[in-house]
Amino acid sequence: MAGASTPAVRTLSAAKIAHRVHSYVHDPRAESFGAEAVSALAAGLGVEAAQIFKTLVVELSTGALAVAILPVPETLSLKAAAAALGAPKAGMADKTKAERATGYVLGGISPLGQRKKLPTVVDASALRWDRILCSAGRRGLEIEVAPADLIRVADAVTAPITA
């Protein structure tokens, strides 16, 4: 999609990684940004809900923030995410801290192009797919990319992190 330049999209372009950007009309009344993306994109793109990933910011017991990327229909296992990132425990990060650290607003947080590159874990299920979608850095904007490319550019580890 022309004109959809966000730090996330620029990061992929600069790394010469094949990707596609998809947009949909974001409803400001949406209570679940992930569910909104699934409902807007899955059927039209011929992808399953499990191929659309959400980006969650967690706070590790060390005090550091980190990113967990997992399929929208799944629930994050904070214990598994903490273990994958080398910490004893994790909790969901405060909205303000997450937005400040990433430079994105909640519901549009991308794992790429963040203000401060955070340690990242991608759920191992991503490797089942030839392509996945994740936030492009704005509500209503998603990036379609090969999981291995996302993992490489985000400098992420993979682990089973769903409950």
Side-chain angles (χ1 to χ4, degrees):
M1 176 186 147
S5 184
T6 65
V9 173
R10 289 192 295 274
T11 297
L12 288 173
S13 295
K16 295 185 173 27
I17 298 211
H19 64 281
R20 291 180 58 202
V21 178
H22 302 282
S23 67
Y24 58 92
V25 177
H26 164 64
D27 180 352
R29 297 168 301 186
E31 291 185 21
S32 168
F33 301 112
E36 180 185 39
V38 166
S39 126
L41 296 173
L45 296 178
V47 297
E48 294 182 37
Q51 284 177 267
I52 300 176
F53 281 60
K54 56 189 171 188
T55 305
L56 302 178
V57 180
V58 298
E59 186 165 0
L60 303 174
S61 52
T62 60
L65 294 181
V67 173
I69 305 166
L70 63 152
V72 168
E74 301 294 332
T75 302
L76 176 65
S77 164
L78 289 165
K79 185 176 181 178
L85 294 163
K89 291 183 178 179
M92 293 305 298
D94 171 75
K95 173 186 185 239
T96 304
K97 283 184 183 179
E99 291 179 343
R100 191 176 301 130
T102 63
Y104 295 117
V105 298
L106 204 66
I109 294 178
S110 177
L112 304 171
Q114 297 170 356
R115 180 176 290 144
K116 179 181 178 191
K117 194 168 186 172
L118 301 174
T120 301
V121 58
V122 176
D123 185 65
S125 70
L127 299 173
R128 292 179 30 218
W129 307 105
D130 61 342
R131 61 185 175 146
I132 60 171
L133 287 93
C134 65
S135 177
R138 188 182 311 144
R139 293 174 185 161
L141 206 60
E142 296 281 313
I143 297 171
E144 179 182 329
V145 65
D149 288 336
L150 173 67
I151 291 161
R152 184 168 40 86
V153 175
D155 197 20
V157 298
T158 57
I161 57 167
T162 59

